[in-house]
Every structure is written in C-alpha cells, then in structure tokens.
Amino acid sequence: MDQPQHGGKRQGAGRKPKFGSGRATVVKRVPQDLVAAVDALIAAPRPQRLPADARLITPAANEALIPMALNKVPAGFPSPAEPYIADYLDFNQYLISNPTATFAVRAGGVSMLDAGIDVNDLLVIDRAKTPKHKDIVMADMGSEFTIKRLHQGPDLIELHAENEAEDYPVFRPGPEDVWHIVGVVTFVIKDVRHGKR
C-alpha cells in the first residue's frame, strides 16, 4: 500500500531567487548598522556595460595633464600664440571612458583611408560601447579581424570600406558565418611626422 505524500520539500515552493534561477545564493549575517549600505549597494545600477573578460588597467597608469588653449587654431593661416589657457587636458581621461574595456591597435591597411584612417594610425577601441549604425568598428569575421564602417538595420549587417581609390567588397555574413563586433573605434591617433621623433 502506498504511503500518503505529505510534508517534505515541494518542487517550486519557497521564496523565488532574486538574482535569477541560474545563480546560487548564500545567506550572510550583516551588522545591523550596515544593512542600509548593503541594500543600497545591491540596488544600485551597474555602472557600465563591460565585457565579461574585462581586465584591470595597469596600476602604472596615472594623470598626465597638459595645458589646453582657450581658442581654436585655424589650420590655413598662422595665428599668434594665445597666452590663455582654458584648462588642463589628461589624455587618459579624454581618450578612455571605459578603462577596463579599452585597448589600442594599429591600422594595417588603407581600406578606411577616406574615413581618416591610414596605415599605422593608432586606433582606440572601446569594447563596452554598443555598436551603432555607421560606427567604425573592429570586427572578428571568423578568420580575420578588420576595421570597417558598420551598416546595420532590422535585416541588415554589412561592413563597408571607405576608400574610393580602391575597389573593396561589402562584407555580409552568410548563414554559416559567425562574426562578432570586437569593439567600437572611438579615436584615431595619427603621427603627422611619420615617426620622426
């Protein structure tokens, strides 16, 4: 004779997990005077979207402030130097908004020449930014990396070169291709003296 099924753990019963069913949780005792601070920390929004493998920046990185002039300087006619300093500029802060998700790479070709990217230009790439239509991106096309202009829409993903002097194809992923956007190019650093340091 079967025994009646009473008591014991019932599937689906109890408090529902707060952090998603796939994450284990533990119970910890917290000093009463810290409860409000811990609750605020848990409720706070994530500061930024970072890749899962984001890395710590080097502890050697520090400020390097240089004076920044108040006025713009015309490129076509020499202007007397203005003695006015508007502010100080730290390139670490100016070029990098997501330190743990930013890296630099040198451009290896001329397919983006009309976009101002030449061979050996230094590209600052932010992996935390969500790529948008017309962003210049670094893409992993499965077998190679490339820098191209992203064109995207509801049913469209294309990578376009920008160099009218050459004939470059428009890249479109096929059904079997596995592509992903590595990051968004945020700055192009050019050596205008071509290495004459």
Side-chain angles (χ1 to χ4, degrees):
M1 180 176 178
D2 294 337
Q3 296 294 322
Q5 301 293 318
H6 296 296
K9 184 178 180 182
R10 290 178 293 121
Q11 187 170 2
R15 183 178 294 177
K16 298 297 181 284
K18 186 175 181 180
F19 300 100
S21 58
R23 299 175 65 183
T25 59
V26 296
V27 177
K28 287 184 179 275
R29 299 184 71 85
V30 177
Q32 193 168 10
D33 61 326
L34 295 179
V35 169
V38 172
D39 286 345
L41 184 64
I42 293 172
R46 298 180 64 185
Q48 58 191 13
R49 188 183 71 87
L50 296 177
D53 59 345
R55 58 197 160 70
L56 295 175
I57 60 173
T58 170
N62 52 22
E63 289 184 342
L65 301 176
I66 62 173
M68 185 170 178
L70 179 63
N71 295 335
K72 294 182 180 179
V73 177
F77 188 78
S79 173
E82 295 285 353
Y84 307 111
I85 301 301
D87 201 352
Y88 285 85
L89 176 66
D90 181 350
F91 280 105
N92 289 334
Q93 293 183 6
Y94 182 72
L95 297 175
I96 303 170
S97 55
N98 298 299
T100 58
T102 301
F103 66 97
V105 64
R106 288 199 182 277
V110 294
S111 67
M112 295 297 290
L113 202 59
D114 294 346
I117 299 176
D118 203 344
V119 176
N120 285 329
D121 283 351
L122 200 56
L123 310 178
V124 179
I125 296 177
D126 190 332
R127 300 179 60 203
K129 291 192 179 299
T130 301
K132 298 178 181 177
H133 179 59
K134 294 295 187 76
D135 273 343
I136 297 177
V137 299
M138 178 176 177
D140 179 356
M141 298 169 59
S143 60
E144 64 178 323
F145 294 103
T146 188
I147 302 291
K148 294 290 183 290
R149 181 84 66 183
L150 173 67
H151 289 243
Q152 67 177 10
D155 299 311
L156 172 73
I157 293 289
E158 294 178 343
L159 296 174
H160 290 224
E162 292 190 5
N163 184 346
E164 290 192 0
E166 303 284 341
D167 186 21
Y168 289 94
V170 173
F171 295 98
R172 302 178 182 89
E176 304 297 323
D177 292 329
V178 179
W179 290 11
H180 74 273
I181 303 300
V182 177
V184 176
V185 178
T186 53
F187 290 94
V188 180
I189 301 173
K190 307 182 79 67
D191 181 356
V192 295
R193 299 188 68 214
H194 305 290
K196 297 176 182 176
R197 295 181 182 278

